[in-house]
Amino acid sequence: MIGAAQPSFTHLQWGTPEAAWLEAGVTSLPQLDAELFPQEGAAETLLLVGAAHPDDESLGAAGLVVSALAVGADVSVLLCTRGEASHPESPSVCNERLGELRRAEFGAALRELHEGAAMIARLAGRSVGRLDLAELRLPDGQLSGAVDEIAAAAGSTLRHASQQRLIVAAPYRRDGHADHDAVGEALARAALDADAVLLEFPIWFWHWADPETDAEWRHWRSLPLAPETAQAKDRAILAHASQVRPLSDAAGDEPVLSQAHLQHFRRDLEVFRVTAPATRDSGSARLAFDEVHVDADDPWELRSSWYELRKLDLLLAMLPADRYEQGLEIGCSIGESTAKLAGRCSRLLAADASPEALKLAGERLTGTEHVDLVLATLPRDWAALDVADGQLDLVVLSETGYYLAEDELCELIARSRRALAPAGVLVLCHWRGPIVGWPLDGDRVHSLTARLGMRRLASYSQEETLIDIYENGDDAGNSCFASPSMTATAAWDVDSDLPQEQQS
């Protein structure tokens, strides 16, 4: 399923073939900004690369490292473990020895990258950048409990950097390997605090994900690799011999990286999820909104603001049916809108990323037995909702979409549409003002969703407010607005001849 928070897979499974990714268009992704590593002034740039294990840096970001070094930027690699647990069933090598072996392979891989970059720089008449290493020596397989420590180490490197321009690269936070996810989360925190560009690189995502269903990758960016850069990357990957070749002929000593999986890293490009400096996404939601709700029991003035009260009344009046069997409210906050929606639903799920908000919502909804409050950072924690495909007939996304990155919004809409019956209703309601420090604004959330071509049942547009109500339809399987099949045209309006101010 799309973007599973912790997908179930092993490296011994066949996985998604590279041909499927090529057919889906992975080589046609938009390119990273050419000014990421400018030819002039690159010495003012530091690239920090986080690796959960030896080989992460070579698989996911070797081309990035070589590209940075070759124009004179400095690179620092933060190695969190020695990868000693890669072969837990090995009859021939103990963990301690395997860790020593993998650490030596890591050093050899870094030398391949630096030498490749030096050759490119020399041919261009430039000086190669400096490559540094920091090692934490944390236990392999246990990084989920070390996120704060990793974030502190990365933050220290960034704070003490002499360079003015900071770039952080780390495993994708939804890669599906617990250690990768933890390092990705830690370095995302450090990047946000340091106002650095964040580049997340997938590794196991290519193995377990489905190019059509797990469509978030369509929002990512590519870094083309020149032949010399790709060759340096390939040499670095091969330096990790314990991972690409069997330790012995015995069972338990099989290579972790099969030839089929390695094909994903022999493209003439690398792929990154990009987050701009000082920009948050759903990963920041829990901390951000806990702080807001601790300081005030009604931080958005939902109980007293005329704007908020009127907006909620408008939304409820625009719903096309009087009753719904099962609804979902995404971002319920303190439960004011939840209480009103509960009057229209036989069963209602109300989700929020903030435990503090849910505590207040629980007090507001005391005695409302048909409402279930769920702690979930969506879309990552969608499984916590425990809803089957086609089970819902109402999903309300109100004042929440702009706290998501574009690929997260894509995933959330896709999941919501699969959970809705064909006749189910999707509601979007957002403020139109500026949203500082978050990826989107209300107009962008609504314009992206409109690309999906759902039948629009009602729409309200005012200077401060947008409300759109859609019928889900029968084509919920194709719900990525970055898909080549999607266009920027507006949704089909059932009452397109009515004024936009109020259609119903």
Side-chain angles (χ1 to χ4, degrees), residues 50-115:
H53 318 102
D55 78 4
D56 292 346
E57 78 302 325
S58 297
L59 294 168
L64 181 74
V65 170
V66 171
S67 299
L69 291 170
V71 295
D74 291 339
V75 176
S76 179
V77 181
L78 178 64
L79 179 63
C80 298
T81 80
R82 292 195 164 189
E84 67 274 7
S86 67
H87 289 75
E89 305 299 326
S90 173
S92 61
V93 183
C94 68
N95 280 10
E96 182 179 1
R97 173 62 186 133
L98 186 56
E100 294 171 353
L101 178 63
R102 294 199 65 188
R103 175 60 179 83
E105 293 171 348
F106 177 75
L110 291 189
R111 286 192 294 274
E112 291 288 358
L113 297 180
H114 195 265
E115 289 170 7

Side-chain angles (χ1 to χ4, degrees), residues 2 52 68 72 78 127 136 142 160 211 290 309 343 345 350 378 409 442 467 487:
I2 182 168
L78 178 64
S127 298
L136 298 182
Q142 300 180 39
H160 293 98
D290 263 356
L309 295 168
C345 298
L378 299 177
L409 178 65
I467 303 175
T487 68

Side-chain angles (χ1 to χ4, degrees), residues 113-124:
L113 297 180
H114 195 265
E115 289 170 7
M119 181 190 70
I120 297 170
R122 188 163 53 249
L123 292 174

Side-chain angles (χ1 to χ4, degrees), residues 468-481:
D468 282 309
I469 298 183
Y470 296 99
E471 182 181 71
N472 188 34
D474 295 316
D475 62 343
N478 190 6
S479 297
C480 179
F481 34 71

Side-chain angles (χ1 to χ4, degrees), residues 28 86 213 220 254 280 283 316 337 366 465-466 479 493:
S28 300
S86 67
T213 307
W220 300 346
E254 301 86 358
R280 295 170 285 186
L316 294 167
S337 54
T366 300
T465 307
L466 278 175
S479 297
D493 291 319

